[in-house]
Amino acid sequence: MANDMSQNPEFQSLLKQVVEEAIPFCRLIGLQVQSFASDQPELRLAMRNDLLGNFAQGMLHGGVIASVLDSVAGVAILLKLAQTQPREDAYAQIREFGLMSTIDLRIDYLKPGKGNAFIATAEVTRLGKRVANVLMELRNEEGERIATGAAAFMLHGRA
């Protein structure tokens, strides 16, 4: 697409800043943007002791898993909007992030959250006028699928 804002370096820099610095919880857990692919973005999380749920077995907290999957879903929607409905500039495009909210989130925990690092990916399965649907996945650095998820987001301010 000629006006694909998702691959605009300024937009990508703003998105990285929002995820890694501006969203307090994402900053707290250490989320990092690894890929800006509009069909399957990636966020990375390094394991730290303060992210453990089961400290005796060294497993990532289930709430952290859910939060990471929720976050990558939001990034996927924002990138899909930037690709299919580009705004006039990077700042207008990044403001779309503030116009969406999670309205449904389902997480399936498949394996214990063990690993040194985790990669979350997401795919937008439907981008409607008011609601977007997303499928997400979290794998550890060995490629083991730890959890999957499905989410629906309200796109506020859209007709």
Side-chain angles (χ1 to χ4, degrees):
M1 181 172 283
N3 296 329
D4 185 350
M5 183 64 77
S6 71
Q7 299 309 303
N8 177 298
E10 184 180 21
F11 171 71
Q12 290 181 354
S13 176
L14 288 169
L15 178 55
K16 184 174 179 65
Q17 182 181 357
V18 165
V19 171
E20 296 179 4
E21 299 171 29
I23 300 173
F25 189 75
C26 292
R27 184 179 67 243
L28 178 71
I29 64 173
L31 272 184
Q32 297 177 325
V33 179
Q34 293 293 292
S35 168
F36 295 99
S38 56
D39 58 335
Q40 193 171 52
E42 293 181 3
L43 298 182
R44 182 182 188 279
L45 177 71
M47 176 59 104
R48 302 188 326 245
N49 285 339
D50 55 348
L51 299 178
L52 294 174
N54 184 327
F55 61 89
Q57 295 187 33
M59 293 188 296
L60 190 62
H61 192 286
V64 172
I65 292 171
S67 297
V68 170
L69 291 176
D70 183 47
S71 296
V72 76
V75 168
I77 294 167
L78 189 63
L79 284 164
K80 188 58 77 173
L81 286 168
Q83 178 190 41
T84 62
Q85 300 171 31
R87 298 296 186 202
E88 60 275 7
D89 61 43
Y91 288 94
Q93 197 72 59
I94 204 72
R95 281 193 288 276
E96 295 279 319
F97 221 166
L99 299 176
M100 64 174 86
S101 58
T102 310
I103 56 174
D104 188 48
L105 180 66
R106 176 192 164 87
I107 306 297
D108 291 315
Y109 300 95
L110 307 174
K111 283 190 157 191
K114 292 187 175 187
N116 295 314
F118 302 91
I119 298 291
T121 58
E123 176 188 0
V124 177
T125 57
R126 180 180 175 275
L127 184 61
K129 289 182 179 183
R130 293 190 172 214
V131 176
N133 300 90
V134 187
L135 295 176
M136 305 87 70
E137 178 177 87
L138 183 74
R139 292 180 181 261
N140 65 14
E141 78 279 5
E142 301 293 325
E144 296 175 310
R145 186 180 292 128
I146 303 300
T148 58
F153 279 67
M154 178 67 71
L155 306 176
H156 302 282
R158 294 189 155 268

